Amino acid sequence: MKIQGLITRRDKLIWAAGFIDGEGCIGIHERKLREQYEPYVEVLQADRRVATLYLLQELWGGHVTIGTDRGITCDTVSRWRVWGRRAIDVCTELLEFSVVKKEQARVVVEFGYGYGLGIIGRGHKIPELEKLKRKALKAQIHVLNKRGRQNAA
């Protein structure tokens, strides 16, 4: 009997929320030269077992890569990552099920409201007020992510 056919999208979202809560990172990247901010969701694993990352890719797209950690160990690292509108979509769907990273997901969803202004894209100038809002949301998510590291130590 194939179990795969019995698993609903909701089941996959519940699993993904737990997996991203434990192994993932939700953040907002700043491109300083252009004063632009871009939300992202990523999961890093310190091995070559990428099957779980391909499940995330199946749900939301993005990229799965295998490389080496640029840190001290130079171990193999697998990564799944989405950014921009896809990251906002991921956070919107995970918001209901996420526990540990619920606040980070909420900040990214709030950030996403700026995408609805129709001002995002090449050649479009972002209003100063929107830039300030994005900078504040980036600072907020940075504090949330740092808080998580302090609790783990």
Side-chain angles (χ1 to χ4, degrees), residues 9-150:
R9 180 161 181 91
R10 185 175 192 278
D11 295 332
K12 290 178 183 179
L13 292 175
I14 292 168
W15 167 82
F19 189 65
I20 291 171
D21 272 354
E23 302 292 330
C25 180
I26 298 173
I28 297 173
H29 174 74
E30 179 181 4
R31 294 179 179 177
K32 293 184 181 183
L33 291 175
R34 303 173 97 191
E35 292 185 306
Q36 291 179 341
Y37 299 91
E38 186 171 44
Y40 66 89
V41 179
E42 73 178 353
V43 175
L44 290 171
Q45 291 188 280
D47 57 37
R48 289 184 177 266
R49 291 177 283 174
V50 295
T52 52
L53 302 181
Y54 284 121
L55 289 173
L56 295 172
Q57 186 181 44
E58 179 185 311
L59 283 168
W60 294 292
H63 296 279
V64 173
T65 57
I66 301 172
T68 56
D69 178 14
R70 294 183 186 152
I72 299 168
T73 62
C74 293
D75 288 337
T76 300
V77 176
S78 305
R79 171 189 290 186
W80 167 79
R81 187 172 195 179
V82 293
W83 52 90
R85 290 181 192 270
R86 283 190 180 170
I88 295 165
D89 293 343
V90 170
C91 289
T92 300
E93 285 195 278
L94 293 182
L95 202 53
E96 177 183 354
F97 308 110
S98 185
V99 176
V100 177
K101 297 205 170 44
K102 188 178 208 72
E103 281 303 303
Q104 288 93 323
R106 186 195 56 73
V107 171
V108 167
V109 170
E110 184 178 341
F111 180 95
Y113 293 135
Y115 272 64
L117 297 175
I119 56 172
I120 306 304
R122 293 191 172 129
H124 291 95
K125 188 162 175 69
I126 298 171
E128 205 57 42
L129 188 60
E130 183 64 24
K131 283 183 187 178
L132 291 172
K133 177 186 169 196
R134 291 175 184 200
K135 189 172 187 172
L137 289 171
K138 186 207 181 298
Q140 185 180 357
I141 207 164
H142 179 75
V143 168
L144 289 167
N145 285 335
K146 195 169 186 162
R147 178 197 67 189
R149 280 192 219 115
Q150 290 171 347

